[in-house]
Amino acid sequence: MTKEISDILTAFKEAQSSGRQMALATVVHVEGSSYRRPGARMLVEDNGKITGAISGGCLEGDALKKALLAINQQQNKLVTYNTLHEDDVEFGVQLGCNGIVHILFEPIDPMQANHPIALLEKCFLQRKDAVVVTLFSLQDYHGRQPGTCFFFNGENTYSSINDKNLKNAVQEDAASVLARKTSLHKQYPEGNSLTAFIELLQPPVSLILVGAGNDALPMTAMAAVLGWQVTIADGRATHANTQRFPNVHKIIVGEPATIIKQITIDPRTVFVLMTHNYNYDLAMLELLLPMQCRYIGTLGPKKRLERMMAAFQEQGIHIGDEQSAVIHGPTGLDIGAEAAEEIALSVLAEIKAVLADCEGGFLRNRLVSIHPRTAFMLLEASTAH
């Protein structure tokens, strides 16, 4: 959901410069099924403009009214939309998902140092995982709803929690979420039985396209829709330039050794080798082998990659099982792709599947829920860790 948050940050700055008031709507808890999961967000401005989404469109109309009410009263509000049966209609909406959705509405005060949008923005200042905590009360809807009040990225902590015991408990669980890489819900006896949505937020995918041919154009366009940061790298200045790629994050021109020095590799960095120059791709792949990349895709037939592997073997370069596991060639999912746009769709879908630890098969064949329910179960404080 990094793209959604990025869009919200942009909309917030524009609204702030225009003097408009805003409220942030966040899905904080879901029981049963719903179109969006906890962490889905929507920014509502006092002129009715909406950025982001908290449902497939069925809740937004009523949520707009609730957000404007929160802005008018300058008070956090928790609202529940409950349709466990198809013929149940509550709040004038029809979910059709057999679920209960709890949404927290928070008016934004730009003068407050660590308001909810400011905490979300801190997640984008560095390319590292972070945790944002939202506190709310399921027992007392009309009582205090603290809202988004805690940030932790392993180094820096920002908190507006006054209760010392509660703050320490949240700090401990935030550190656990950061280590386990899984969001969770937690109930605390401190602070009048508050519930916390302890959310892991990760930086956007950094996609390094090694190759600036025409087939890289749809790849960059689709990656931008996903909110990924795209870097174009190629030895040809005639191909790798801002005229051809005006909206990419970075352009690097040079040989593989020059390129690798200008790239920071982290767990969310992936590579696709697509120069169609065998020797260039071979040299780049050799440099990437010891880098512990999560994904390296090589465009072209399987025999091309096999030829590369044979060349490494002849040079005495040993490739272990862990290194082989991250190399995908041919790159992409098997969807019958032929045109450049279809190939781009196939490759980006495979990258997404790899980063999500999914197989990329048909959803109808899944025997379990699409979304892991264990990640959003309510945990009692006494049973934590």
Side-chain angles (χ1 to χ4, degrees), residues 17 36 39 104 106 112 119 133 144-146 182 189 201-202 215 232 246 248 265 271 292 307 309 312 323 342 358 373:
S17 64
R36 297 299 306 273
L104 182 67
E106 302 175 84
Q112 182 182 348
L119 292 185
V133 179
R144 187 173 64 95
Q145 303 290 346
T182 303
L201 293 176
Q202 297 183 297
D215 52 358
I232 291 289
V248 299
I265 299 176
F271 289 81
Q292 297 183 333
R307 181 185 171 192
M309 294 303 180
F312 291 141
Q323 291 174 314
E342 295 169 344
C358 293
R373 301 297 172 86

Side-chain angles (χ1 to χ4, degrees), residues 79-309:
V79 177
T80 293
Y81 296 92
N82 183 350
T83 55
L84 288 177
H85 304 285
E86 291 186 1
D87 57 349
D88 286 346
V89 179
E90 190 168 337
F91 295 102
V93 299
Q94 176 64 54
L95 290 180
C97 295
N98 292 330
I100 302 175
V101 183
H102 304 273
I103 299 175
L104 182 67
F105 296 87
E106 302 175 84
I108 305 301
D109 180 5
M111 300 303 295
Q112 182 182 348
N114 291 317
H115 58 77
I117 303 294
L119 292 185
L120 293 177
E121 187 175 26
K122 294 182 190 299
C123 299
F124 284 76
L125 297 179
Q126 295 177 301
R127 282 197 58 83
K128 60 187 306 182
D129 294 349
V131 174
V132 171
V133 179
T134 304
L135 288 172
F136 53 98
S137 175
L138 292 172
Q139 286 74 33
D140 186 5
Y141 278 82
H142 301 291
R144 187 173 64 95
Q145 303 290 346
T148 308
C149 57
F150 191 90
F151 167 90
F152 178 66
N153 66 358
E155 296 179 1
N156 302 313
T157 301
Y158 300 91
S159 173
S160 58
I161 302 174
N162 296 322
D163 187 294
K164 183 178 180 180
N165 292 332
L166 178 59
K167 179 179 178 180
N168 291 339
V170 168
Q171 174 79 50
E172 184 178 354
D173 289 318
S176 177
V177 165
L178 196 61
R180 298 178 183 179
K181 308 300 180 187
T182 303
S183 301
L184 60 80
H185 284 86
K186 184 74 173 293
Q187 287 182 325
Y188 297 101
E190 301 91 344
N192 297 321
S193 298
L194 292 173
T195 299
F197 174 40
I198 308 173
E199 180 183 10
L200 175 70
L201 293 176
Q202 297 183 297
V205 175
S206 175
L207 173 63
I208 316 298
L209 296 181
V210 183
N214 289 340
D215 52 358
L217 293 171
M219 195 90 75
T220 60
M222 291 185 186
V225 172
L226 296 172
W228 295 5
Q229 292 181 347
V230 181
T231 296
I232 291 289
D234 200 302
R236 303 165 294 179
T238 55
H239 288 63
N241 55 62
T242 55
Q243 286 71 37
R244 284 170 52 79
F245 300 95
N247 299 317
V248 299
H249 183 67
K250 187 177 184 180
I251 295 178
I252 307 174
V253 179
E255 296 301 310
T258 300
I259 290 172
I260 204 70
K261 293 178 181 178
Q262 300 183 53
I263 295 174
T264 300
I265 299 176
D266 58 39
R268 301 278 287 174
T269 303
V270 297
F271 289 81
V272 178
L273 310 184
M274 52 188 305
T275 66
H276 303 285
N277 181 321
Y278 173 82
N279 291 325
Y280 193 100
D281 287 354
L282 180 67
M284 179 60 72
L285 181 56
E286 181 179 352
L287 292 172
L288 291 176
L289 287 175
M291 297 292 182
Q292 297 183 333
C293 301
R294 184 74 184 276
Y295 180 99
I296 304 173
T298 61
L299 209 64
K302 190 173 184 178
K303 289 185 177 180
R304 187 173 188 268
L305 178 58
E306 291 174 345
R307 181 185 171 192
M308 289 181 174
M309 294 303 180

Side-chain angles (χ1 to χ4, degrees), residues 36-58:
R36 297 299 306 273
R37 303 303 293 169
R41 291 178 172 86
M42 180 176 78
L43 182 70
V44 178
E45 302 174 31
D46 59 8
N47 62 355
K49 179 182 176 182
I50 292 176
T51 303
I54 54 173
S55 74
C58 49

Side-chain angles (χ1 to χ4, degrees), residues 59-74:
L59 297 183
E60 274 67 11
D62 187 77
L64 171 60
K65 299 177 184 177
K66 299 297 190 298
L68 294 177
L69 180 62
I71 291 174
N72 182 58
Q73 297 181 351
Q74 285 298 296

